[in-house]
């Protein structure tokens, strides 16, 4: 009964069994780990390794609770993944378990079985060097837990995710997953960490990520962090490993969020795989029965390392934007190109009426309606053509700038780009205490709830630092008299409302740096009304040059891309010219 109670914490679902058995194989120095499952792991989980194996005399011991061979260094410096001596005992008490093993040089292997937590006498077994653990009928002994299992398919998916996760941290080990559950995996072994991450997470992630490598006081941070524009709607693609152990730790996730805070909207999440390697006595892994959490002796150091290294790396990425934008564009275009290639082209959506006499030579002017006008650049700036974002050629729909580079074209979302430019400029000016302001001819009055008015009034000195002159206007309204001059125009009502929400969430306890970022973000968001504004050719070019000079300008402050690039060779391919 004691074992089954303990098992409740260690073995939550089939994937937890897989995790524990893989950990044991890794601790045994395996180079190859084969996992086979059936019925979502509920009917069968079999993990086979080529590690050091277990002596006949210790097979039964291995199944006993609190029996471990891994605590030679004591609890203060745990260098192995396991140390609690609980996994096999727990699994053996909630499932049928067979343990087969053969040591190097032994004539043959031995096998014991656990039934209701009791180990049988060892029997000879035909097995190669290493260990095999076979778990069947999981939770048959604890029907309450069995009822809580999701579908076999969901459990199989969780198992595959566990295998992928553990494989990320151990590129020199070959992992295979097979069996009647649908997912199969085969990650070949190699010395290269980056290559393994590419195998597990795909080429697209690797192409859109920045390599991280930094160290501080003996603690090293490495891995891959995706460009902000390559973001996700949830935090499931954030992986942390501490000394090779996969952990899900609030502090680490918080540090990652802080590092990307400048680049992502609140509902978007970064994608990253980060490895923290630290001397074992700097970290306490004995926190949680499933060993999924850790405590650092110096949490500030680790947080500082993560936030510092990632910010620096992202700043180094400059105006780079995720290639997924161009890929999406290419595949959309390629899709329509394919259609016209292989199927009879669809009838045009207009009726050909035949050309009237003289029509051949006559060109018609664009309609004068405002949003149909295309602003074009007659003479392009020769100096601009070799710049990363090229020379401006045209503005379409009063928001999209088309630029020409030496070997391709760039499409810029003017509104998104402008938002980032204003944000970075405003932040720098606020820090320097020099935000130029512009007095409104007629103060704008915005009605608000009384507590919001109070909140804004209480912070008016701080807001003045952002170039916002605000004062209460009676009990239920705020008057805006001054705005930052760098804004083109401001949606004052939206800005004041969002600021009120913002201030309700942050208070004087929030770090100044973070407050600056948030308020500047809100102002930039409402101050960037450049979409819908026609730009003169010089202005278009100037915007491109500012983007190149501004950090993080590849994404707007909500993490969307600000521009998309299309190479000439891609364009040629689309038209079948190559
Ligand atoms: P822990 O890993 O915390 O020590 P387990 O219950 O997972 O506890 O395993 C108990 C012991 O059985 C281990 O300490 C190890 O000596 C032995 N063992 C388990 N799996 C393997 C394996 N795949 N290869 C070699 N030894 C193993
Ligand atoms: Mg173990």
């Amino acid at each position: 009964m004691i074992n089954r109670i303990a098992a409740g914490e260690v073995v939550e679902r089939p994937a937890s069994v897989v995790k524990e058995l893989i950990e044991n194989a890794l601790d045994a120095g395996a180079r190859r780990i084969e996992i086979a499952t059936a019925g979502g792991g509920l009917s069968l989980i079999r993990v086979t390794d080529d590690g050091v194996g277990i002596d006949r005399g210790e097979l039964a011991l291995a199944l006993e609770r609190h029996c471990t061979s891994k605590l030679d260094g004591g609890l203060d410096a745990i260098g192995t993944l396991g140390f609690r001596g609980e996994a096999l005992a727990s699994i053996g008490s909630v499932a049928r378990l067979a343990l087969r093993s053969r040591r190097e040089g032994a004539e043959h292997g031995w096998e014991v079985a656990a039934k209701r937590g009791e180990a049988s006498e060892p029997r000879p077994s035909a097995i190669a060097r290493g260990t095999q653990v076979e778990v069947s009928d999981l939770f048959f002994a604890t029907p309450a837990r069995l009822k809580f299992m999701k579908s076999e398919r969901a459990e199989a998916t969780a198992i595959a995710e566990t295998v992928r996760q553990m494989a990320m941290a151990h590129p020199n080990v070959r992992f295979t997953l097979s069996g009647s559950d649908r997912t199969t995996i085969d990650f070949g072994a190699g010395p290269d960490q980056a290559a393994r991450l590419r195998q597990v997470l795909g080429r697209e992630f690797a192409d859109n990520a920045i390599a991280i490598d930094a160290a501080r006081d003996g603690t090293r941070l490495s891995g891959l962090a995706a460009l902000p524009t390559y973001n996700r709607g949830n935090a499931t693609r954030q992986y942390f490993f501490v000394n090779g152990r996969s952990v899900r730790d609030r502090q680490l996730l918080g540090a990652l969020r802080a590092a990307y805070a400048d680049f992502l909207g609140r509902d978007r999440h970064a994608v990253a795989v980060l490895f923290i390697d630290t001397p074992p006595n700097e970290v306490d892994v004995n926190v949680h029965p499933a060993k999924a959490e850790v405590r650092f002796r110096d949490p500030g150091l680790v947080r500082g390392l993560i936030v510092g290294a990632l910010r620096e790396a992202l700043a180094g990425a400059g105006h780079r934007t995720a290639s997924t934008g161009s890929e999406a564009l290419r595949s959309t275009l390629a899709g329509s190109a394919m259609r016209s290639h292989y199927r009879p082209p669809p009838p045009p959506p207009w009726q050909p009426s035949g050309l009237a006499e003289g029509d051949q030579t006559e060109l018609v002017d664009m309609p004068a309606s405002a949003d149909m006008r295309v602003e074009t650049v007659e003479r392009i700036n020769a100096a601009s053509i070799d710049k990363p974002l090229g020379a401006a050629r045209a503005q379409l729909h009063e928001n999209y700038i088309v630029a020409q580079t030496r070997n391709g074209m760039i499409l810029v979302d003017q509104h998104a780009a402008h938002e980032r430019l204003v944000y970075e400029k405003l932040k720098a000016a606020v820090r320097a205490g020099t935000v130029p302001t512009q007095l409104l001819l007629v103060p704008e009055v915005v009605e608000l709830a009384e507590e919001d008015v109070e909140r804004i009034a209480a912070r008016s000195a701080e807001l003045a630092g952002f170039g916002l002159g605000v004062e209460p206007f009676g009990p239920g309204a705020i008057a805006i008299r001054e705005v930052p001059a760098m804004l083109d125009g401001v949606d004052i009502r939206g800005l004041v409302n969002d600021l009120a929400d913002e201030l309700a969430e942050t208070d004087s306890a929030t770090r100044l740096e973070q407050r600056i970022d948030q308020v500047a973000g809100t102002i930039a968001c409402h101050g960037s009304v450049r979409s819908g504004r026609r730009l003169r050719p010089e202005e278009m070019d100037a915007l491109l040059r500012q983007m190149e000079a501004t950090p993080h300008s590849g994404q707007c402050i909500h993490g969307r891309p600000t521009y998309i690039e299309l190479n000439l060779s891609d364009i040629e391919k689309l038209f079948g010219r190559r």
Side-chain angles (χ1 to χ4, degrees), residues 20 23-24 27 70 82-83 87 291:
E20 294 291 341
E23 284 188 355
N24 282 347
D27 283 344
K70 303 175 188 174
F83 58 88
K291 300 165 285 179

Side-chain angles (χ1 to χ4, degrees), residues 24-25 28 49 53-54 62 67-70 82-89 131:
N24 282 347
D49 68 56
I54 308 173
C67 276
T68 177
S69 57
K70 303 175 188 174
F83 58 88
R84 300 174 59 99
E86 263 187 335
L88 293 184
T131 303

Side-chain angles (χ1 to χ4, degrees), residues 20-29 47 49 51-54 58-59 61-64 66-71 80-91 99 101 103 130-133 291:
E20 294 291 341
L21 297 182
I22 294 178
E23 284 188 355
N24 282 347
L26 290 168
D27 283 344
V47 176
D49 68 56
V52 292
I54 308 173
E58 293 190 326
L59 278 175
L61 263 183
L63 297 181
E64 240 167 82
H66 306 310
C67 276
T68 177
S69 57
K70 303 175 188 174
L71 278 182
T80 47
L81 295 168
F83 58 88
R84 300 174 59 99
E86 263 187 335
L88 293 184
S90 296
I91 298 165
L99 174 62
S101 196
R103 291 281 265 181
T131 303
Q132 181 175 74
V133 182
K291 300 165 285 179

Side-chain angles (χ1 to χ4, degrees), residues 329-393:
L329 176 61
R330 269 195 291 272
S331 58
T332 309
L333 295 177
S336 55
M338 295 260 280
R339 272 198 300 281
S340 62
H341 238 252
Y342 296 114
R343 288 185 211 150
W350 65 89
Q351 280 299 322
S353 56
L355 285 173
E357 197 84 358
D359 270 359
Q360 283 101 324
T361 53
E362 214 173 287
L363 289 176
V364 184
D365 273 340
M366 283 293 288
S369 136
D371 60 346
M372 284 303 291
R373 228 170 90 185
V374 177
E375 215 62 51
T376 53
V377 180
E378 296 296 332
R379 310 186 49 202
I380 66 169
N381 190 341
S384 299
I385 194 93
D386 286 315
K387 297 273 167 58
L389 296 182
R393 295 306 304 269

Side-chain angles (χ1 to χ4, degrees), residues 318-462:
H319 58 74
R320 218 178 128 195
T321 186
S323 65
T324 40
S326 345
E327 255 149 43
L329 176 61
R330 269 195 291 272
S331 58
T332 309
L333 295 177
S336 55
M338 295 260 280
R339 272 198 300 281
S340 62
H341 238 252
Y342 296 114
R343 288 185 211 150
W350 65 89
Q351 280 299 322
S353 56
L355 285 173
E357 197 84 358
D359 270 359
Q360 283 101 324
T361 53
E362 214 173 287
L363 289 176
V364 184
D365 273 340
M366 283 293 288
S369 136
D371 60 346
M372 284 303 291
R373 228 170 90 185
V374 177
E375 215 62 51
T376 53
V377 180
E378 296 296 332
R379 310 186 49 202
I380 66 169
N381 190 341
S384 299
I385 194 93
D386 286 315
K387 297 273 167 58
L389 296 182
R393 295 306 304 269
Q395 183 201 30
L396 315 179
H397 295 285
E398 303 188 319
N399 186 49
Y400 299 100
I401 297 175
V402 182
Q404 183 173 345
T405 57
R406 187 61 76 182
N407 63 355
M409 60 175 280
I410 303 270
L411 195 58
V412 175
D413 178 341
Q414 174 184 318
H415 174 73
H418 190 239
E419 193 179 80
R420 166 63 66 183
L421 297 183
V422 166
Y423 175 67
E424 296 291 342
K425 203 161 142 192
L426 183 59
K427 267 201 321 190
V430 170
R431 293 217 175 93
T434 55
V435 181
T437 61
Q438 177 193 345
L439 221 51
L440 297 179
L441 281 180
V442 184
E444 183 117 6
V445 176
V446 180
E447 287 180 16
L448 285 176
E450 240 171 88
E451 65 267 25
D452 286 336
V453 172
E454 268 169 36
R455 228 177 255 133
I456 290 185
R459 301 269 286 275
S460 61
E462 190 179 320

